[in-house]
């Protein structure tokens, strides 16, 4: 009888998560084909134990649970599980953050650690499994696999709430349905076969609404804000590829989600809470919260503490997971653990990989005593890690920022209402977030989008600069533009996704993945990223290579002084960010809106989730022998970051209105914000002069040791550390700017620019700096440089006429003087003098003052005893260019050096342009300045 095999499986999962169920009643209902359970309470302790979340469930219940089992058509129709109205309320665990809810109020929903661990594992139903000669074991396993692979899950009205301090975050999903599909992603009853080792599923989410509100001290929400996300629908495709029919786990797992339209709305009151939620996610990702503190133990009843930062779950303090910094545990380290060990945040996420698709545990628990089941755990541990691809794709996303104000009703006793006004909008097209991982040694994340822009809306601080009656064009409202239009670029952001009809999975072939660091670097270059996206591309790659082949996956524990793993594992983390051609316009409307958002974000400050530990030198110095030092020098893991900006245009306009004196003091922390409203009318100035800056390329590179604390403790204990080891004890930063030039331009009434008038011709420059990690560990080495910097400038030229200088002064004064700047508007004569009419040659060219400097090199270095600065200047030249006879330009030198002065007494010297005799001539200026540090600090550092 099929009921004898299928019923225990369904009963076990229902009974595992739901309290106070009678197995006899449930079994009878299942045999009837339909089960209806109402007002169910979830076992919160089991959920917390299995999910390993850093949250505590305050409550969890299901209004109605329906299970439909088509006993007569189990081989062709799916089992349907329907949940109507499921609500869960969560908060951070009491050990992570104090809250007014006490742990004792939730004691009724908790049990002891032993009961929790046993309940978290699949329960074996104490019932003899009948043996039917008509149903051989192979057929039963195949049938159960078909049933499990085709289960349909429907959730109607899913409500999730998270509370913290005064924050109430709620997620409401009207409908979510998961079902099996065929090759064309249409609903079907499918199973894996020898010819098609693929299983496909689809999850549809309908009308997802996310709200973020503020509650008072009594826990009541006085004013409901606009939803962050309102009735957003999206779909997820899951693709599992197996090596063979007997595979315990898929070899390739793809989970991709597509959102056609994502519209977010954030008010000024929601912005601090939204930032707080993002900080929570970052803190959890890096393992900065949830760790045991010194002297603290885990409470087995309330579960107040959870070792979220301990990725490997081991409690031995000599293990690497307890010695490395918390920010690396959740990201760079990962190892498999047993079911009854505490897991970290990353391990929790990885644990869902087998949970989504693995049904073999359930089969072996309910199919009787299989003689091969005793080796199941050993087989599971030797399984190869699957390739997991997770992707999120959004066709168009908008984020609208709003300012709110309270409005009272006409009646005195009527409650106040919140009215919001849109001020800023961010639009983004073709967004992609992809993650590819294979167990421990490989993880890659790529983020990109095709195009984006920022638009000013309506008014700001009482200035109605973009109200409907102003009739300003859309090009003036757009102050930030980057990338291309999606209609021109196409669907490149969906390349090789499950939503791309050209992908291998949608054409019946198996996808190939690049899991080698060298090949990955050659394939995913900056050019390839810009060709796919166009606006922004980020590639984060973490690799772990075992050089000895012994299977050790732990990096050397520097602080313990053990050397058995030295050189066995090579870890590396690289981040590459590329930003495509962008146009950033800083006018009064854009600057005031950006600063207003900053002020709103600073209005409510929350306590940080983690505080930085002071750099205290460990008294237990780690001593390594020469062999260990040599092995350490072979490879030191680093984290490298590269940021590249291509073809940047920055335009700084003359301020049309200036209310910065009400914003900047709040940002600087000098005073609190006030609801200032300007009463003056907005007057658009045209033509509007501006300074335009063009940069061909900006490149920023940053490198830092992956495990700085352990490395510094080891190297600082050496008598004579090598230059190579000292190099890795610093954080290094390189900044290179290519093709920087600036000029004056103006914006006319039609929204077009005139030709730029050059002020600073194109030049390039470079800057290098390094900072010593944990300086307190080097107090006995006064000769070690703490900071060091080098600045190089091959040449720089600045040229301007008197009219151009006056215009630059007017632009500066418009931003430095607050209030109405209409009086600072330049007259038409000055504008005509600066910007010559195209095609008309000036009769009287204006004299130009030009200054140039060449071969500038500045150096800075500081130790615990002294600060030193030195530099050289190759040449300086200041001259005036005036119109001469026959249309030739006449050069009048004012200052030049070095210069040949042998003909200084003659008039010839005044009429000729003088150049250095040789490029190898001595520098014009060379200087060195040394300033001793504070004597008290020097004395303490020498001791």
């Amino acid at each position: 009888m099929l009921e004898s095999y299928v019923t225990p499986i369904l009963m076990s999962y229902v009974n595992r998560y739901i309290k106070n169920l009678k197995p006899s009643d449930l079994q009878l209902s299942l045999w009837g084909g339909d089960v209806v359970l109402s007002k169910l309470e979830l076992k919160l302790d089991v959920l917390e134990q299995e999910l390993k979340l850093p949250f505590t469930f305050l409550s969890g219940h299901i209004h109605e649970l329906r299970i439909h089992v088509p006993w007569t058509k189990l081989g062709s129709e799916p089992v349907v599980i329907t949940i109507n109205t499921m609500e869960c309320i969560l908060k951070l665990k009491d050990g992570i953050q104090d809250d007014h809810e006490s742990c004792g109020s939730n004691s009724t929903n908790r049990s002891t650690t032993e009961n929790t661990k046993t309940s978290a594992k699949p329960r074996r139903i104490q019932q003899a499994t009948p043996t039917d000669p008509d149903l051989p074991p192979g057929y039963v396993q195949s049938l159960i696999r078909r049933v499990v692979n085709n289960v349909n899950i429907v959730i109607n009205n899913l409500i999730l709430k998270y509370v913290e301090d005064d924050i109430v975050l709620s997620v409401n999903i009207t409908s979510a349905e998961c079902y099996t599909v065929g090759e064309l992603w249409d609903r079907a009853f499918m199973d894996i076969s020898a010819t098609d080792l693929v299983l496909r599923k689809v999850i549809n989410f309908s009308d997802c609404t996310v709200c973020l509100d503020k509650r008072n001290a009594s826990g009541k929400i006085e004013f409901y804000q606009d939803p962050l996300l309102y009735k957003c629908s999206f779909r997820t495709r899951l693709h599992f590829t197996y090596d063979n029919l007997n595979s315990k786990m898929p070899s390739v797992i793809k989970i991709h989600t597509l959102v056609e339209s994502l519209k977010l709305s954030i008010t000024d009151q929601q912005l601090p809470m939204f930032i707080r939620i993002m900080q929570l996610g970052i803190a959890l990702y890096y393992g900065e919260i949830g760790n045991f503190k010194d002297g603290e133990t885990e409470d087995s009843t309330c579960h107040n503490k959870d070792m979220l930062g301990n990725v490997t779950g081991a409690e031995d303090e000599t293990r690497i997971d307890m010695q490395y910094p918390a920010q690396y545990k959740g990201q760079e380290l990962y190892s498999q653990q047993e079911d009854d060990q505490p897991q970290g945040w990353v391990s929790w996420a990885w644990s869902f990989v087998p949970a989504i698709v693995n049904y073999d545990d359930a089969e072996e628990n309910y199919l009787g005593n299989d003689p091969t089941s005793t080796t199941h755990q050993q087989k599971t541990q030797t399984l190869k890690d699957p390739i997991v691809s997770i992707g999120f794709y959004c066709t168009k996303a908008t984020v609208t920022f709003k300012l709110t104000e309270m409005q009272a009703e006409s009646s005195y006793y009527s409650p106040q209402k919140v009215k919001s006004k849109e001020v800023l909008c961010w639009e983004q097209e073709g967004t992609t977030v992809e993650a590819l991982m294979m167990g421990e040694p490989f993880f890659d994340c790529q983020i990109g989008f095709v195009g984006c822009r920022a638009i000013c809306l309506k008014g700001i601080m009482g200035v109605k600069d973009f109200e409907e009656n102003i009739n300003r064009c859309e090009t003036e409202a757009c102050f930030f533009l980057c990338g291309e239009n999606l209609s021109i670029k196409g669907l490149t952001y969906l390349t090789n996704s499950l939503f791309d009809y050209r992908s291998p999975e949608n054409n019946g072939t198996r996808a190939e993945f690049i899991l080698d660091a060298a090949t990955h670097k050659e394939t995913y270059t900056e050019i390839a990223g810009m060709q796919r996206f166009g606006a922004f591309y980020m590639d984060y790659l973490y690799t772990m290579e075992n050089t000895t082949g012994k299977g050790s996956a732990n990096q050397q524990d520097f602080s313990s002084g053990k050397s058995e793993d030295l050189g066995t594992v090579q870890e590396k983390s690289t981040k590459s960010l590329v930003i495509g051609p962008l146009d950033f316009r800083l006018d009064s409307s854009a600057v005031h809106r950006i600063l207003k958002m900053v002020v709103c974000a600073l209005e409510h400050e929350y306590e940080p989730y983690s505080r930085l530990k002071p750099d205290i030198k460990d008294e237990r110095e780690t001593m390594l022998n020469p062999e260990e030092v040599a092995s350490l020098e072979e490879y030191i893991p680093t984290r490298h970051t590269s940021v590249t900006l291509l073809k940047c245009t920055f335009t700084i306009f003359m301020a049309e209105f200036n209310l910065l004196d009400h914003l900047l003091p709040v940002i600087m922390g000098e005073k609190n914000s006030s609801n200032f409203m300007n009463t003056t009318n907005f007057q658009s100035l045209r033509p509007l002069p501006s300074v335009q800056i063009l940069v061909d390329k900006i490149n920023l590179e940053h490198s830092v040791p992956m495990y700085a604390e352990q490395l510094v403790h080891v190297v600082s204990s050496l008598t004579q550390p090598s230059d190579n080891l000292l190099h890795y004890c610093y954080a290094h930063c390189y900044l290179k700017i290519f093709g920087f030039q600036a000029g004056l331009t103006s914006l006319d009434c039609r929204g077009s620019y005139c030709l730029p008038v050059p002020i600073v011709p194109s030049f390039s420059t470079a800057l290098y700096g390094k900072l010593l990690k944990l300086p307190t560990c080097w107090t006995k080495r006064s000769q070690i440089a703490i900071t060091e910097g080098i600045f190089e400038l091959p040449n720089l030229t600045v040229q301007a006429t008197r009219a151009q200088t006056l215009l630059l002064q007017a632009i500066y004064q418009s931003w430095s003087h607050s209030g109405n700047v209409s009086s600072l508007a330049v007259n038409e004569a000055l504008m005509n003098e600066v910007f010559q009419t195209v095609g008309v040659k000036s009769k009287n060219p204006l004299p130009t003052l030009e200054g140039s400097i060449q071969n500038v090199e500045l150096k800075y270095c500081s130790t615990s005893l002294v600060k030193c600065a030195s530099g050289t200047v190759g040449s300086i030249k200041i001259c005036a260019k005036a119109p001469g006879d026959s249309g030739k330009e006449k050069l009048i030198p004012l200052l030049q050096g070095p210069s040949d002065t042998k003909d200084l007494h003659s008039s010839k010297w005044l009429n000729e342009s003088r150049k250095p005799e040789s490029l190898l001539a001595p520098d014009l200026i060379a200087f060195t300045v040394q300033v001793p540090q504070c004597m008290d600090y020097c004395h303490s550092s020498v001791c």
Side-chain angles (χ1 to χ4, degrees):
M1 297 175 61
L2 296 177
E3 294 87 346
S4 302
Y5 295 97
V6 179
T7 300
I9 298 178
L10 298 176
M11 289 174 56
S12 64
Y13 285 99
V14 174
N15 192 44
R16 190 198 311 183
Y17 299 107
I18 297 177
K19 298 170 61 176
N20 303 326
L21 279 183
K22 294 182 180 181
S24 58
D25 297 341
L26 180 61
Q27 183 174 354
L28 291 175
S29 300
L30 280 174
W31 286 354
D34 290 283
V35 177
V36 180
L37 304 174
S38 301
K39 298 181 180 180
L40 304 176
E41 293 292 333
L42 297 176
K43 293 182 179 179
L44 305 182
D45 51 354
V46 177
L47 291 176
E48 292 181 15
Q49 181 67 21
E50 288 199 354
L51 297 180
K52 291 296 178 184
L53 287 170
F55 306 105
T56 295
F57 282 87
L58 298 178
S59 65
H61 63 269
I62 296 176
H63 178 72
E64 183 182 73
L65 173 63
R66 291 178 175 267
I67 303 177
H68 172 69
V69 183
W71 293 112
T72 59
K73 298 180 181 180
L74 268 181
S76 59
E77 291 186 8
V79 175
V80 181
I81 300 175
T82 304
I83 298 175
N84 294 321
T85 308
M86 178 178 177
E87 182 176 2
C88 295
I89 302 178
L90 305 90
K91 75 179 186 72
L92 272 181
K93 289 191 174 182
D94 295 332
I96 297 178
Q97 183 181 16
D98 295 332
D99 206 319
H100 66 274
E101 293 92 357
S102 63
C103 183
S105 62
N106 304 319
S107 60
T108 57
N109 296 327
R110 304 291 183 265
S111 60
T112 61
T113 305
E114 291 80 4
N115 293 335
T116 300
K117 291 181 178 180
T118 56
S119 62
K121 298 180 180 180
R123 297 182 177 179
R124 183 187 300 273
I125 302 297
Q126 301 299 327
Q127 158 184 345
T129 303
T131 58
D132 192 336
D134 296 333
L135 297 176
Y139 171 77
V140 174
Q141 293 182 10
S142 176
L143 180 61
I144 292 178
R145 184 180 60 200
R146 288 174 61 86
V147 171
V148 174
N149 287 341
N150 290 275
V151 171
N152 285 9
I153 301 176
V154 180
I155 302 178
N156 297 316
N157 195 19
L158 173 62
I159 303 172
L160 299 176
K161 291 184 179 181
Y162 170 73
V163 293
E164 175 193 346
D165 291 334
D166 60 348
I167 300 175
V168 179
L169 176 66
S170 61
V171 180
N172 190 331
I173 300 177
T174 302
S175 176
E177 182 179 7
C178 176
Y179 53 89
T180 305
V181 295
E183 295 182 359
L184 301 178
W185 301 100
D186 296 327
R187 190 188 299 266
F189 194 91
M190 304 295 295
D191 193 13
I192 60 174
S193 62
T195 57
D196 189 14
L197 298 171
V198 171
L199 181 65
R200 303 174 181 86
K201 286 183 176 291
V202 166
I203 305 177
N204 290 328
F205 298 88
S206 301
D207 295 344
C208 177
T209 300
V210 180
C211 298
L212 185 60
D213 298 291
K214 181 180 292 187
R215 61 178 182 173
N216 54 24
S218 61
K220 180 181 177 181
I221 300 176
E222 297 179 351
F223 309 105
Y224 286 94
Q225 304 288 328
D226 293 343
L228 282 180
L229 183 65
Y230 184 68
K231 289 188 176 182
C232 176
S233 299
F234 52 94
R235 61 185 186 271
T236 300
R237 291 180 176 179
L238 299 88
H239 190 281
F240 308 108
T241 304
Y242 295 83
D243 289 333
N244 52 69
L245 288 175
N246 299 322
S247 297
K248 300 292 184 182
M249 195 174 186
S251 58
V252 179
I253 302 174
K254 271 195 169 185
I255 305 174
H256 292 176
T257 300
L258 175 64
V259 182
E260 295 291 345
S261 178
L262 186 67
K263 297 181 180 180
L264 297 176
S265 172
I266 303 178
T267 65
D268 52 351
Q269 298 184 23
Q270 292 174 330
L271 186 58
M273 298 185 289
F274 182 78
I275 296 175
R276 177 66 168 179
I277 297 297
M278 296 187 64
Q279 291 175 347
L280 172 63
I282 295 174
L284 292 175
Y285 179 75
Y286 285 106
E288 296 177 353
I289 61 177
N291 290 325
F292 287 119
K293 298 179 181 180
D294 296 336
E296 292 180 338
T297 58
E298 185 180 9
D299 189 320
S300 61
T301 302
C302 297
H303 297 274
N304 288 336
K305 302 292 187 292
D306 191 9
M307 298 182 64
L308 301 176
N310 185 1
V311 175
T312 62
E315 297 180 0
D316 185 3
E317 293 186 358
T318 62
R319 290 285 303 275
I320 188 64
D321 49 351
M322 295 297 294
Q323 297 291 343
Y324 280 159
Q327 61 266 30
Y328 303 127
K329 294 176 182 177
Q331 186 170 357
E332 265 77 21
L333 294 179
Y334 161 80
S335 64
Q336 297 178 351
Q337 59 274 69
E338 298 179 2
D339 294 338
D340 58 347
Q341 289 179 326
Q343 297 177 339
W345 178 256
V346 175
S347 300
W348 166 82
W350 184 261
S351 67
F352 276 89
V353 172
I356 294 174
V357 294
N358 193 5
Y359 49 83
D360 298 282
D361 290 342
E363 291 182 25
E364 296 185 8
N365 282 338
Y366 309 116
L367 289 179
N369 295 326
D370 189 351
T372 61
S373 62
T374 56
T375 60
H376 172 70
Q377 185 175 1
Q378 298 176 359
K379 292 181 180 180
T380 304
Q381 294 177 354
T382 60
L383 289 177
K384 183 181 179 181
D385 289 324
I387 299 174
V388 181
S389 172
I390 301 175
F392 173 82
Y393 308 91
C394 181
T395 304
K396 185 175 182 179
T398 60
V399 181
T400 304
F401 295 95
K402 302 178 180 179
L403 296 180
T404 59
E405 58 182 6
M406 306 302 298
Q407 284 191 345
E409 293 294 329
S410 57
S411 175
Y412 176 80
Y413 298 99
S414 300
Q416 288 184 326
K417 292 185 178 181
V418 178
K419 182 181 178 181
S420 59
K421 181 179 181 180
E422 300 174 349
V423 296
L424 185 64
C425 180
W426 174 273
E427 296 181 354
Q428 191 168 299
E429 291 185 325
T431 304
T432 296
V433 180
E434 294 177 335
L436 178 66
M437 64 192 81
M438 188 183 70
E440 182 182 76
F442 185 89
F443 176 83
D444 177 63
C445 179
Q446 297 186 14
I447 301 175
F449 49 85
V450 174
C452 65
R453 65 173 186 169
I455 304 174
C456 296
L457 301 175
K458 297 185 178 181
I460 182 72
M461 300 178 66
V463 180
K464 300 179 180 180
D465 50 350
F466 283 99
E467 293 288 351
E468 296 179 357
N469 55 355
I470 300 297
N471 296 324
R472 299 181 68 179
C473 60
E474 186 178 356
T475 56
E476 296 184 33
C478 178
F479 65 89
F480 182 86
L481 186 64
C482 182
E484 305 177 41
N485 195 303
L486 193 61
S487 59
I488 300 176
K489 192 70 173 179
L491 302 179
T492 55
Y493 71 101
L494 294 176
T495 302
N496 287 332
S497 71
L498 296 179
F499 300 94
D500 181 14
Y501 68 93
R502 300 165 299 180
S503 65
E505 291 83 0
N506 291 330
N507 289 275
T509 60
R510 185 159 183 167
E512 296 181 358
F513 300 93
I514 299 176
L515 302 174
D516 177 72
T519 309
H520 181 94
K521 186 177 181 180
E522 295 176 357
T523 305
Y524 298 103
T525 60
E526 295 181 358
I527 298 177
M530 285 293 98
Q531 287 178 349
R532 180 182 178 185
F533 298 105
F536 174 81
Y537 171 70
M538 187 205 80
D539 181 27
Y540 166 71
L541 176 65
Y542 168 78
T543 57
M544 177 187 293
E545 297 181 3
N546 193 323
T547 58
T548 61
K550 296 180 181 180
S552 174
N554 286 337
Q555 177 63 27
Q556 163 65 15
D557 184 357
F558 296 110
S559 58
S560 63
K562 298 179 181 180
S563 61
E564 56 267 22
D565 292 334
L566 272 174
T568 60
V569 171
Q570 294 185 357
E571 295 180 80
K572 190 172 183 180
S573 171
T574 59
K575 302 184 189 70
S576 176
L577 293 89
V578 186
I579 302 176
L582 62 88
D583 185 5
F584 195 9
R585 301 174 25 160
L586 290 174
D587 55 7
S588 296
S589 301
V591 170
H592 285 78
R593 282 167 170 81
I594 294 174
L595 294 182
K596 183 61 178 179
M597 292 297 104
V598 176
V599 169
C600 294
L602 298 176
E603 283 185 350
H604 193 325
E605 295 184 3
Y606 295 91
E607 289 294 328
Y609 288 107
S610 62
R611 300 181 182 275
L612 295 176
K613 298 185 299 182
D615 296 339
I616 301 177
K617 181 174 175 60
D618 192 359
E619 297 296 334
R620 300 173 300 174
E621 293 187 352
T622 303
M623 303 300 296
L624 300 182
N625 56 44
E627 292 78 9
E628 294 172 337
V629 174
S631 180
L632 179 62
E633 287 206 44
E634 291 182 2
Y635 188 85
I636 297 177
T638 58
R639 302 162 64 94
H640 183 267
T641 302
S642 174
V643 181
T644 304
L645 283 78
L646 304 174
K647 298 293 182 182
C648 305
T649 302
F650 303 94
T651 307
I652 305 175
F653 292 88
M654 172 180 284
E656 297 176 274
F657 61 93
N658 188 349
L659 304 175
L660 298 183
D661 57 335
H662 299 277
L663 298 175
L664 293 179
V666 180
I667 297 176
M668 302 302 296
E670 298 176 2
K671 70 175 185 178
N672 297 327
S673 61
S674 58
N675 294 326
F676 170 80
M677 298 297 292
N678 185 34
T679 57
T680 59
N681 294 326
F682 172 75
Q683 296 292 334
S684 179
L685 302 179
R686 292 296 182 272
L688 185 63
S690 62
V691 177
Q692 191 173 75
I693 300 174
L694 303 177
V695 184
D696 290 338
K697 183 178 180 180
I698 300 176
N699 180 252
L700 174 65
E701 295 185 3
H702 180 266
S703 63
V704 65
M706 189 174 292
Y707 307 107
E709 184 177 353
Q710 289 74 22
L711 179 65
V712 169
H713 281 297
V714 171
V715 177
S716 62
S717 64
L718 299 178
T719 305
Q720 292 183 346
S722 64
D723 294 339
N724 181 52
L725 291 179
L726 288 176
H727 174 83
Y728 284 98
C729 292
Y730 287 85
H732 302 267
C733 184
Y734 303 82
L735 175 62
K736 301 176 183 178
I737 301 176
F738 302 93
F740 182 100
Q741 55 183 315
L744 283 170
T745 184
S746 64
L747 181 69
D748 58 20
C749 300
R750 295 169 296 180
S752 59
Y753 295 93
C754 67
L755 291 177
V757 177
I759 298 295
V760 180
S762 177
F763 73 94
S764 301
T765 184
L767 176 66
Y768 165 76
K770 68 178 184 179
L771 176 65
L772 184 66
K773 306 297 292 185
L774 278 72
T776 54
C777 296
W778 306 86
T779 54
K780 295 183 180 180
R781 298 174 181 266
S782 58
Q783 75 280 5
I784 298 294
I786 299 177
T787 58
E788 185 175 332
I790 300 176
F791 173 74
E792 293 181 355
L793 180 64
N795 62 80
L796 173 64
T797 302
V798 180
Q799 57 187 16
T801 63
R802 178 179 179 276
Q804 295 169 0
T805 305
L806 292 176
L807 186 58
L808 289 172
Q809 182 182 8
I811 295 175
Y812 169 76
Q813 290 180 348
S814 68
W815 289 104
S816 60
H817 294 74
S818 61
N820 193 348
V821 297
S822 59
S823 59
L824 299 176
V826 294
N827 53 46
E828 183 178 356
L830 180 60
M831 294 291 293
N832 293 333
E833 190 175 349
V834 173
F835 304 104
Q836 302 289 340
T837 305
V838 179
V840 178
K841 187 175 181 180
S842 177
K843 297 182 180 180
N844 298 315
L846 299 176
T848 303
L849 184 66
E850 180 181 292
S852 64
I853 187 171
Q854 294 182 351
N855 300 328
V856 178
E857 182 175 347
L858 304 177
K859 296 181 180 180
Y860 172 81
C861 179
S862 67
T863 66
S864 59
L865 298 179
V866 66
K867 293 181 179 180
C868 177
S870 63
T872 58
V873 178
S875 64
I876 296 178
K877 178 180 178 181
I878 301 176
C879 63
K881 295 181 179 180
D885 299 336
S886 66
K888 292 184 178 180
E889 195 174 50
K890 186 177 181 181
L891 186 66
I892 303 175
L894 302 178
L895 175 65
Q896 180 173 327
S899 179
D900 185 6
T901 59
K902 61 183 179 181
D903 296 329
L904 179 63
H905 60 281
S906 64
S907 59
K908 179 181 179 181
W909 188 86
L910 295 174
N911 297 327
E912 291 185 354
S913 175
R914 290 162 300 282
K915 298 181 179 180
E917 294 181 356
S918 172
L919 295 176
L920 301 178
D923 295 324
L924 175 65
I925 300 175
F927 66 93
T928 301
V929 178
Q930 292 185 351
V931 178
Q933 296 276 36
C934 178
M935 295 305 297
D936 294 337
Y937 179 76
C938 295
H939 179 74
S940 62
S941 62
V942 173
C943 293

